[in-house]
Amino acid sequence: MGHKMKSNYEKGIQREVVVKNEMQLMFDAVSVNEAFARVAVAAFVAPLNPTLEEISDIKTAVSEAVTNAIIHGYDAEFVRENKSDGSNLVYLHCIIEDDVLSVEIRDKGRGIEDVEQAMEPLFTTKPEMDRSGMGFAFMEAFMDDLEVLSELYQGTTVRMKKKLGTTPWFRKED
């Protein structure tokens, strides 16, 4: 963890400077903590001097992922069926490497029966709660990479990446 700097010169060859930073949080799966997660990730990425649009994109994607964990992962039926002790947690893990933010949001809740179907725009398992079914679509639109892993009654992991700044996602080879 912390900052790692590679030597600028090794055997006469200039090397890139790699900046790495990491944070991990866990918090109760209650709706007030969605705002906490959003702000925590925004503050974590602030040293990279992101644009307001980049901050907004990241906050929206984190908000959607955390909300999914709270609303869908630890829904009332799951909690009742599993006789939960009330310690339903959401895990947030962020890594910055150079100018790329990686975010992982994980729960140990219900899981998703059909991830492909769940990722379709407008699909929701909670229409009675006025859920729009756009969570994964927003995450995909606002981040550069999205991966969703899930196992029934084991939980769901959402991994997202966002390249910050104006340099290309893929580096050019010399």
Side-chain angles (χ1 to χ4, degrees), residues 86-100:
S87 63
N88 300 322
L89 298 172
V90 177
Y91 302 85
L92 172 64
H93 182 206
C94 296
I95 298 175
I96 293 172
E97 289 186 85
D98 286 332
D99 54 358
V100 177

Side-chain angles (χ1 to χ4, degrees), residues 34 43 47 53 58 74 84 88 96 114 127 137 165:
E34 174 270 327
E53 183 179 1
I58 292 164
Y74 297 117
S84 173
N88 300 322
I96 293 172
D114 184 339

Side-chain angles (χ1 to χ4, degrees), residues 89-139:
L89 298 172
V90 177
Y91 302 85
L92 172 64
H93 182 206
C94 296
I95 298 175
I96 293 172
E97 289 186 85
D98 286 332
D99 54 358
V100 177
L101 170 69
S102 298
V103 179
E104 180 178 281
I105 295 166
R106 181 173 52 88
D107 66 67
K108 294 181 179 180
R110 169 177 299 286
I112 301 170
E113 189 171 340
D114 184 339
V115 171
E116 194 173 315
Q117 182 183 38
M119 292 181 73
E120 290 178 15
L122 304 179
F123 176 80
T124 182
T125 58
K126 304 274 185 215
E128 72 281 1
M129 294 179 71
D130 291 326
R131 308 310 303 174
S132 69
M134 293 300 292
F136 287 125
F138 287 147
M139 288 178 237

Side-chain angles (χ1 to χ4, degrees), residues 149-169:
L149 307 167
S150 192
E151 189 175 332
L152 281 177
Y153 299 98
Q154 300 300 310
T156 299
T157 300
V158 174
R159 293 183 182 137
M160 303 178 282
K161 288 187 179 186
K162 178 81 170 173
K163 167 113 174 39
L164 300 168
T166 57
T167 55
W169 176 256

